[in-house]
Amino acid sequence: MEWYAAVDLGATNTRALVADTDGTAHGRARRPTPQADGQAITRAVVATLERARDAAGVAPDALAAIGVGSIGPLDTDAGAVVAPPNVPADRIELEAALSERTGAPVTLRNDAIAGVRGERRFTDAPENTVYLTLSTGVGAGVAVDGHVLHGHRGNAAEVGHLSLVPGGRPCGCGGTGHWEAYCSGAGIAAHARSLATDHPTRLDPDELDAAAVFAAADPDTVTASVAETDAVERLSTDLPEAPPDGEGDALATRVVADAVRVNARGVAALAHAYAPELISVGGTVALSNSDLLVDPLPDLLATAGLAVPAPDVRETPLDGDAVIRGALASVLPE
Ligand SMILES: [Zn+2]
């Protein structure tokens, strides 16, 4: 029996699994990603992999290959993450550390590129598929004519840093108006926090994260507010009125409505750039709020005046496993 390992290094969680040649998982492990320097994160990745290997009952030197799906940006030549905007580390060494420790070859992929591999290998995703992740960050992985695009140093389709809002909010990368600044977990929280200095809100600025914003938003007002304006061309300038029964928080509702609009712009950009037949959406922010963030996308695309046929849009059937499954797919035998 040959054994294969996969790692999903996210900004929030680090996960590992060990599987057989068919891709059946025999051991898994998970821990929060240390919000610390690169060495601490590298140590956490190695430890998580070793726990998954122990859980599978596999000997330390018995792994045939390791696939890693990681937050970016990457330098795949060096096998490392360089200057990631969503964790405090400057550089995270992955390939050398993991192969030194295990003796196995390591394949490093950006998390969303791993995600599209997972879609192609383990679901019915067609040859022209985009995997879009809305998580701590935003990114995409793209298959065109069945080929997964990797790009220079493994950074193809880092679409979270597409500029979608002229003169818009600052992004964690230093740019402005980027997709990620409105639609990632970190961006949604930061958007709410910045509006809270000038607008009344029931949100507690000290406890503010994307989950709190979604919990406080009024879904009906979000839907009505997005339908009212041209979703792809305009962002709201005014806060939508809170519903009369006072259930929703106007600021949270505005932030979610902006996320829906910017998402529609981004997905339209993906459709024009890559002509996908399917856009499959994953990542914790999307999966926890798919009624607001994923379900409206087909209708929004239908009214967006695309110059290309509109793709199908769905929630990934791999749930939270798209990246780790794709990391595995990048090392399993065909
Ligand atoms: Zn950016």
Side-chain angles (χ1 to χ4, degrees), residues 85-257:
N86 297 316
V87 292
D90 292 331
R91 184 180 177 91
I92 308 166
E93 299 292 343
L94 291 171
E95 230 170 274
L98 283 166
S99 67
E100 240 166 58
R101 189 72 177 212
T102 61
V106 175
T107 299
L108 175 62
R109 300 280 180 243
N110 146 322
D111 48 10
I113 290 175
V116 79
R117 280 198 179 270
E119 291 282 337
R120 290 281 293 143
R121 175 93 186 213
F122 296 107
T123 81
D124 61 354
E127 284 196 332
N128 293 296
T129 291
V130 172
Y131 173 77
L132 169 66
T133 176
L134 308 177
S135 187
T136 308
V138 171
V142 179
V144 176
D145 302 333
H147 301 291
V148 172
L149 306 183
H150 294 111
H152 182 53
R153 296 191 175 159
N155 292 305
E158 270 280 10
V159 295
H161 305 286
L162 282 180
S163 194
L164 298 178
V165 182
R169 295 182 24 67
C171 179
C173 72
T176 56
H178 293 182
W179 191 346
E180 192 164 296
Y182 291 87
C183 298
S184 70
I188 286 166
H191 188 192
R193 213 173 285 120
S194 72
L195 287 175
T197 55
D198 291 327
H199 299 283
T201 177
R202 298 202 303 265
L203 294 169
D204 177 354
D206 297 326
E207 302 279 326
L208 213 159
D209 59 14
V213 173
F214 277 96
D218 178 64
D220 294 338
T221 308
V222 169
T223 305
S225 160
V226 170
E228 228 168 61
T229 54
D230 182 330
V232 175
E233 294 307 324
R234 288 170 52 192
L235 277 189
S236 64
T237 47
D238 301 317
L239 294 173
E241 275 183 42
D245 58 10
E247 275 178 21
D249 180 86
L251 186 149
T253 300
R254 148 80 185 273
V255 170
V256 173

Side-chain angles (χ1 to χ4, degrees), residues 30-73:
R30 169 191 187 122
R31 56 159 292 165
T33 301
Q35 299 303 301
D37 64 22
Q39 289 181 343
I41 296 174
T42 302
R43 280 195 301 273
V45 167
V46 171
T48 309
L49 177 69
E50 290 180 341
R51 270 176 43 215
R53 198 203 59 222
D54 288 346
V58 170
D61 59 353
L63 293 174
I66 302 169
V68 180
S70 171
I71 49 172

